[in-house]
Amino acid sequence: MKEYRAGLYLRLSKEHEEKNNSIEAQREITTRYAIKNGYKIVKEYVDNGYSGILDSRPKLNEMMLDIARGFINMVIVKDISRLTRNKNKTGWYTEVFFPDNDVRFISVTEFIDSGERYEIDDSIMLRGIANQYYITDISKKVRANKNAMKQSGQFVEHYAPYGYKKREEDKHKIMIDENVADNIRKIYDMYISGKTSSQIADYFNRNKIKNPSRYMKLKNRARKWNAEQINDMLSNPFYAGNTVMNKYETNYIAKTCKKNKKRDTWMIKENTHEAIIEKEKYDIVQEIKQSKKGRTAVKHEYLLRDLLYCGYCKTKMQYKVYRSKDKQRFLYDSAGLNCSLLYKKKCKNEIYIREKDLNEIVKKEVVKRLKPIEIDKITSKLIDYYKENNENMKKIKEYQNEIEKLERKKSVLYKKKCEQYIKVEEFKAEYIQAKEEIKKYENLIRELKHNNKNELEERIKDIANEFKNGKCINNNFLKEMINKIEIYSSSRIEITFNL
């Protein structure tokens, strides 16, 4: 009899602290089941305070690594939603990852057990869909509720924008913060007078005026004024008394929030609060900004933008780009990074590393990380799926069905002729017509099979090879894969992966 080394996976999100799903309740249910069935528990993995829609969780990642190195060969959960609430991930765990790694999967309360053959009933996918629907439904309700509150003029964000503050008596109402409102007015006036965003930022830094992060006492934010900050303020309709809808794309369950860069999809609710900037002045600034757009230079895209941190003081690494001797162009090939606090003598990390060299190091690590995914296997499955489901194959199946019908018709005609239900001349005419139609469908099938043969199949293989060799890696892809990159020295670079 096979010896099983079981890992118990327990998860509870902050939003759902009900007793029947508490970590203690899950531990009792899974432990009792393992003991009752004689399975040896070798490790327990607990993700407390993490949503089931997240693909990356500390202890889930640890369990995946333990499975990959063969430390455990059984996973026991209270129910499938503890493992994931994503319907696609449900299928991937139960149909790909667990079987490929010889892992038996058990969901105690749902009576799911992949058994010795590592097979699971199709109903598990229905559970996956139900779990994802549940979490998506919650997210939609929260989003709809916040939008309704915004429409009615209520403020629902955690922080009021710089220049405003929440009213003490009603946190859903805001008022102008006169301590710093003049800074906003100064920014608009300076911009209209011809100053650039960088010049405005320099002015505020020289005069030692606290930037929004420092004034609002926010953590892990820039400690100085910068051009990007100024640009955001100059573009923000909030300062003209209007609330912006759809400015951020928020997933309330996964706890992620990204800025929606498609400004044409923003919705403006006007006159929801007192304005710091008059409408006429705000409109003038937008016209100036629009007129400058055509003169904007093409920016260098840093592969590792927003991912690099000093390993010692944990602040973001600073990019340094040098100009050519004639000051006409930037020398991006020699661009590099160092700790942003080095010059303030707040950090002793004196490492300076070239961006080009760092890119190569990270790319190699990412390619190495992707190897266990077995891209070749996935590629073969994708090609098989394509062969079975593309339009040409659907037509081929359709024509094959028609041929089968015509073959049956020929048999029926012959039987009718033998039993003298139809005349010989009638039989011959219909029989010849059926044969001609069969030949027509066979020719069509031959042509479709020829067209279906290689083109897209080769493209799928090319894409897989590019992916495998790191040629498709870009900043967005890396942000999905990597949480952060900490730099201690040129020989010590630590990458924290999400996947």
Side-chain angles (χ1 to χ4, degrees):
M1 183 179 173
K2 183 171 182 175
E3 182 185 348
Y4 284 106
R5 300 177 303 282
L8 308 183
Y9 182 73
L10 321 172
R11 181 193 64 78
L12 182 67
S13 61
K14 289 177 182 175
E15 289 81 5
H16 305 100
E17 296 181 350
E18 63 267 29
K19 289 182 181 178
N20 65 329
N21 262 341
S22 68
I23 295 296
E24 291 73 21
Q26 292 177 55
R27 182 180 288 119
E28 184 184 348
I29 290 167
T30 51
T31 304
R32 189 169 64 238
Y33 181 90
I35 293 170
K36 182 181 175 182
N37 290 277
Y39 301 136
K40 181 183 177 183
I41 301 170
V42 296
K43 198 166 181 179
E44 180 181 278
Y45 307 87
V46 182
D47 278 321
N48 200 346
Y50 288 87
S51 169
I53 205 70
L54 294 173
D55 288 342
S56 179
R57 296 167 236 144
K59 291 301 177 181
L60 177 65
N61 296 344
E62 186 180 320
M63 184 176 78
M64 303 279 277
L65 288 173
D66 283 346
I67 288 171
R69 64 189 179 95
F71 182 67
I72 62 172
N73 60 4
M74 174 183 279
V75 172
I76 304 176
V77 296
K78 173 186 168 284
D79 58 68
I80 192 73
S81 68
R82 298 306 92 202
L83 185 66
T84 181
R85 286 189 181 275
N86 182 314
K87 66 178 187 297
N88 295 325
K89 274 290 185 180
T90 300
W92 183 79
Y93 283 125
T94 58
E95 294 178 12
V96 180
F97 184 73
F98 289 156
D100 284 355
N101 286 279
D102 204 24
V103 170
R104 185 171 178 177
F105 174 68
I106 294 169
S107 170
V108 179
T109 60
E110 294 168 322
F111 306 103
I112 292 171
D113 184 352
S114 63
E116 297 285 351
R117 293 176 301 145
Y118 308 103
E119 292 177 359
I120 286 186
D121 190 274
D122 287 344
S123 64
I124 197 166
M125 286 306 294
L126 295 176
R127 294 181 191 277
I129 292 167
N131 284 327
Q132 181 156 340
Y133 172 78
Y134 167 75
I135 207 159
T136 304
D137 187 50
I138 287 175
S139 185
K140 283 179 181 176
K141 285 175 180 174
V142 173
R143 188 178 293 109
N145 186 47
K146 286 189 82 171
N147 282 341
M149 291 176 77
K150 283 183 182 180
Q151 289 280 7
S152 65
Q154 297 186 70
F155 186 77
V156 296
E157 305 304 335
H158 191 61
Y159 295 106
Y162 179 75
Y164 288 93
K165 60 184 179 181
K166 293 182 180 182
R167 292 184 181 276
E168 288 296 327
E169 66 277 11
D170 185 353
K171 298 296 183 184
H172 292 307
K173 297 288 182 185
I174 60 167
M175 59 188 289
I176 293 175
D177 183 355
E178 294 297 349
N179 292 326
V180 292
D182 279 342
N183 292 339
I184 303 293
R185 297 182 185 107
K186 181 78 173 172
I187 288 169
Y188 274 76
D189 288 340
M190 288 179 75
Y191 192 77
I192 290 171
S193 71
K195 300 292 185 186
T196 66
S197 299
S198 297
Q199 288 170 337
I200 297 170
D202 289 342
Y203 168 84
F204 278 86
N205 288 325
R206 279 197 314 274
N207 286 277
K208 297 181 179 179
I209 298 168
K210 285 183 181 179
N211 80 331
S213 300
R214 290 174 62 200
Y215 178 75
M216 298 164 72
K217 297 179 181 177
L218 303 178
K219 292 181 181 179
N220 302 322
R221 300 290 174 91
R223 313 313 285 173
K224 278 190 170 187
W225 291 89
N226 57 55
E228 188 178 353
Q229 218 169 44
I230 300 294
N231 271 325
D232 280 345
M233 290 180 177
L234 291 168
S235 304
N236 195 346
F238 202 88
Y239 293 116
N242 306 323
T243 296
V244 184
M245 321 275 284
N246 300 334
K247 186 177 181 181
Y248 294 94
E249 295 170 341
T250 307
N251 185 321
Y252 298 102
I253 304 301
K255 300 290 186 299
T256 59
C257 181
K258 293 180 181 177
K259 190 170 182 178
N260 177 9
K261 293 181 180 178
K262 298 176 182 175
R263 292 180 67 91
D264 56 340
T265 64
W266 292 7
M267 291 171 59
I268 309 294
K269 177 75 175 175
E270 295 186 346
N271 304 319
T272 55
H273 53 274
E274 190 179 355
I276 293 175
I277 303 298
E278 301 87 349
K279 183 180 184 304
E280 294 74 18
K281 188 179 286 188
Y282 177 81
D283 289 342
I284 289 169
V285 166
Q286 303 321 303
E287 285 173 15
I288 296 170
K289 288 178 73 66
Q290 192 65 34
S291 68
K292 287 183 177 182
K293 272 189 178 178
R295 305 199 298 269
T296 304
V298 177
K299 288 185 179 179
H300 173 66
E301 286 300 322
Y302 292 102
L303 182 67
L304 305 175
R305 185 181 291 279
D306 299 327
L307 290 169
L308 301 170
Y309 293 83
C310 171
Y312 296 100
C313 66
K314 309 304 179 187
T315 58
K316 276 194 175 181
M317 295 291 279
Q318 181 178 9
Y319 277 102
K320 292 193 75 66
V321 186
Y322 301 98
R323 284 184 182 271
S324 59
K325 288 180 180 178
D326 58 6
K327 307 291 183 184
Q328 295 299 307
R329 58 194 175 89
F330 289 108
L331 304 173
Y332 289 113
D333 277 351
S334 61
L337 302 107
N338 57 17
C339 178
S340 57
L341 296 184
L342 175 64
Y343 300 113
K344 296 180 181 178
K345 297 182 180 178
K346 292 184 179 179
C347 182
K348 295 180 180 179
N349 187 0
E350 296 183 2
I351 178 67
Y352 178 84
I353 186 166
R354 282 207 317 160
E355 187 210 2
K356 203 173 180 181
D357 298 335
L358 187 59
N359 287 351
E360 290 307 310
I361 293 168
V362 173
K363 277 184 180 179
K364 282 179 185 175
E365 290 302 313
V366 169
V367 169
K368 201 186 295 182
R369 183 80 175 187
L370 292 171
K371 277 184 181 175
I373 295 175
E374 296 183 305
I375 293 169
D376 291 334
K377 265 189 185 179
I378 295 169
T379 304
S380 297
K381 286 183 180 180
L382 188 60
I383 290 169
D384 290 341
Y385 177 83
Y386 164 72
K387 284 179 177 176
E388 290 299 318
N389 293 278
N390 73 81
E391 287 303 316
N392 282 357
M393 282 306 299
K394 287 177 184 176
K395 284 182 181 177
I396 287 170
K397 286 177 183 177
E398 187 184 316
Y399 295 155
Q400 284 171 339
N401 287 337
E402 290 300 322
I403 289 172
E404 286 177 15
K405 287 178 188 176
L406 289 165
E407 290 291 355
R408 286 196 296 273
K409 183 180 179 181
K410 280 165 60 181
S411 299
V412 170
L413 283 170
Y414 184 75
K415 189 176 180 182
K416 283 183 177 179
K417 185 202 78 164
C418 292
E419 294 177 358
Q420 297 183 349
Y421 283 109
I422 58 172
K423 293 177 181 179
V424 175
E425 293 78 12
E426 191 180 345
F427 163 75
K428 282 182 180 179
E430 290 194 38
Y431 193 85
I432 290 168
Q433 185 184 353
K435 279 178 70 176
E436 286 175 352
E437 286 187 31
I438 288 171
K439 191 175 181 181
K440 178 187 78 175
Y441 284 124
E442 284 174 343
N443 288 336
L444 287 170
I445 288 171
R446 203 173 296 113
E447 189 180 334
L448 285 170
K449 281 184 175 178
H450 177 74
N451 294 339
N452 199 45
K453 200 169 184 182
N454 286 321
E455 189 178 336
L456 194 58
E457 200 171 314
E458 289 305 314
R459 181 61 191 135
I460 291 171
K461 287 179 182 175
D462 288 343
I463 292 170
N465 284 328
E466 286 178 8
F467 185 71
K468 206 162 47 171
N469 297 323
K471 290 180 182 176
C472 291
I473 293 173
N474 57 31
N475 183 250
N476 288 333
F477 174 76
L478 289 177
K479 282 178 180 175
E480 291 293 330
M481 273 206 73
I482 296 173
N483 181 13
K484 61 182 175 181
I485 301 167
E486 293 179 315
I487 300 172
Y488 293 87
S489 68
S490 55
S491 58
R492 186 186 170 194
I493 295 163
E494 296 183 3
I495 302 173
T496 306
F497 285 95
N498 290 324
L499 302 173

